[in-house]
Amino acid sequence: MRTVVVDGSPLTVDDVVAVALGHASAIPGDDLDSRMAPARALVQQVVDNDEVVYGITTGFGALASTRIPPERATDLQYDLIRSHAAGVGDLMSPEIVRAMLLCRARTLAQGHSGVRPVVVRTLLALLAHNILPAVPAQGSVGASGDLAPFAHLALPLIGEGFVLGEMGRLPSLPALEAAGIDPLRLEAKEGLSLLNGTEGMLAQGCL
């Protein structure tokens, strides 16, 4: 079976189609940890030094001037994902969701977003076990990214939200437990990084 290596390098449309439609496997690259380490260290430095950096030690949008103390930096990430999971309408197809998971993992694997490698590995673990988040098709305006769809895509990573089942939506946590996947414990900036991006549009365009 074809294998697509996710190491931050560009993917081809054929790569996305192979994973989304052909169920080709997607695995993390050997240098994933070293590639992602510098940006992650910078985020941690910001938190440790209580520096003012948007979305890490401040609120978002109109709350950009509101300081978030270091001990609340993690809570901020959970609140961000939960608050944006407000999509509506029919659920996206399994093929589109698989493409979204792959494209999200590839973007974060570049090492520019400041997340830990475990975030990428968990996205790929969902793909490997075909545990697909239930993502409503309506809600994104494509402004600073596919925020609502990505919030629904991210909820199962933390053991919340729903995944696709044969009879509709199912709670995500039992599916993770059955596959032996530990829910992520988000750290500073990781919720923001999971939401910001346009890979929802990209996935649909590829397919």
Side-chain angles (χ1 to χ4, degrees):
M1 179 181 290
R2 179 174 177 177
T3 298
V4 174
V5 177
V6 178
D7 59 5
S9 301
L11 298 176
T12 67
V13 172
D14 285 344
D15 290 332
V16 176
V17 171
V19 171
L21 299 180
H23 287 259
S25 60
I27 62 172
D30 292 337
D31 64 343
L32 186 68
D33 290 43
S34 59
R35 180 188 286 262
M36 299 181 70
R40 184 62 210 170
L42 181 60
V43 170
Q44 193 59 53
Q45 176 184 313
V46 166
V47 175
D48 291 344
N49 295 339
D50 197 18
E51 300 174 32
V52 180
V53 177
Y54 177 77
I56 302 178
T57 54
T58 75
F60 308 97
L63 298 176
S65 60
T66 300
R67 290 294 302 276
I68 305 298
E71 63 270 18
R72 296 299 306 279
T74 294
D75 293 339
L76 178 67
Q77 305 308 307
Y78 285 91
D79 291 345
L80 181 67
I81 291 176
R82 291 165 179 156
S83 67
H84 282 71
V88 297
D90 295 335
L91 298 179
M92 291 187 181
S93 70
E95 295 77 17
I96 291 176
V97 176
R98 287 183 61 83
M100 289 171 66
L101 287 169
L102 175 67
C103 292
R104 276 273 75 195
R106 202 279 329 167
T107 295
L108 297 178
Q110 289 182 99
H112 301 318
S113 299
V115 306
R116 296 166 296 152
V118 68
V119 176
V120 173
R121 290 194 170 95
T122 304
L123 286 165
L124 296 179
L126 294 187
L127 266 178
H129 292 276
N130 206 37
I131 298 173
L132 305 180
V135 181
Q138 299 178 38
S140 177
V141 294
S144 57
D146 294 308
L147 303 182
F150 281 167
H152 289 280
L153 194 78
L155 279 176
L157 297 176
I158 60 175
E160 299 182 14
F162 299 91
V163 295
L164 298 176
E166 292 183 5
M167 303 300 291
R169 300 190 312 169
L170 299 173
S172 69
L173 187 56
L176 296 183
E177 292 174 342
I181 300 173
D182 293 327
L184 283 176
R185 296 181 62 84
L186 294 178
E187 297 188 3
K189 197 181 181 293
E190 291 182 336
L192 179 63
S193 295
L194 282 166
L195 260 59
N196 274 67
T198 55
E199 291 84 5
M201 291 177 274
L202 174 63
Q204 294 184 61
C206 287
L207 297 183

